[in-house]
Amino acid sequence: MKNIDHIGIAVKNLDERTTYYTNVLGMKLLNIEEVESEGVRVAFIDANNTHIELLEPLTNESAIYKYLEKRGEGIHHIALLVENIEDEMERMRKEGATLLSEKPKNGAGGAKVAFIHPKSSNGVLYELVERNEKEES
């Protein structure tokens, strides 16, 4: 693990919440994009020592939509930056962790991502993120 890459926060309305983070909290909006593989629209906010990723569902089938229906808005996951996601996934499986996918998926900003099941991480959903060096913050 290198460091915390970002903190994911589930939101119902990305535009409203982005305004809160930029105007009220005074943070900088870095970019907004759609991540088709996860069915979300995301906004990355610069919080100086890390980033905040706001996640809005695109469809009722999105995991974020289901999360919002069950738990409401709030912290969804903590993302950890890793050097080699495939190696890290293999290492974690050997240590007994349950991952939500066999292979990494394509995430925001061209990153490779994988999630650790919260049942094997004390109730916290962790995301592993591998970025190529020019994308790292």
Side-chain angles (χ1 to χ4, degrees):
M1 303 288 167
K2 293 174 108 179
N3 60 351
I4 293 177
D5 184 74
H6 66 268
I7 298 169
I9 300 176
V11 300
K12 292 179 181 177
N13 185 308
L14 191 71
D15 297 325
E16 286 178 10
R17 296 303 176 253
T18 299
T19 299
Y20 173 81
Y21 281 87
T22 57
N23 292 356
V24 176
L25 297 180
M27 296 178 182
K28 181 182 174 187
L29 173 65
L30 297 174
N31 69 319
I32 295 176
E33 69 179 275
E34 289 186 9
V35 181
E36 294 293 328
S37 66
E38 297 297 323
V40 294
R41 187 166 75 120
V42 301
F44 273 98
I45 309 288
D46 185 1
N48 289 325
N49 61 346
T50 193
H51 292 137
I52 294 173
E53 178 188 45
L54 303 178
L55 303 127
E56 175 190 64
L58 291 173
T59 70
N60 294 356
E61 299 303 313
S62 165
I64 295 299
Y65 177 85
K66 294 171 186 172
Y67 178 91
L68 287 167
E69 288 295 301
K70 189 173 182 178
R71 294 184 181 88
E73 293 184 306
I75 294 176
H76 179 260
H77 67 270
I78 297 173
L80 305 169
L81 188 63
V82 299
E83 287 187 26
N84 184 308
I85 196 165
E86 288 90 356
D87 288 351
E88 194 60 30
M89 291 172 74
E90 183 179 333
R91 185 193 69 75
M92 293 180 126
R93 282 189 190 102
K94 287 179 182 176
E95 291 296 327
T98 302
L99 290 118
L100 296 177
S101 61
E102 287 299 312
K103 295 183 178 192
K105 294 181 179 182
N106 294 324
K112 293 180 185 178
V113 301
F115 288 89
I116 304 167
H117 197 293
K119 288 183 180 177
S120 67
S121 58
N122 302 304
V124 178
L125 179 63
Y126 287 103
E127 178 184 25
L128 303 177
V129 178
E130 178 187 320
R131 299 185 185 282
N132 61 33
E133 293 197 25
K134 65 181 177 184
E135 295 172 344
E136 290 181 19
S137 50

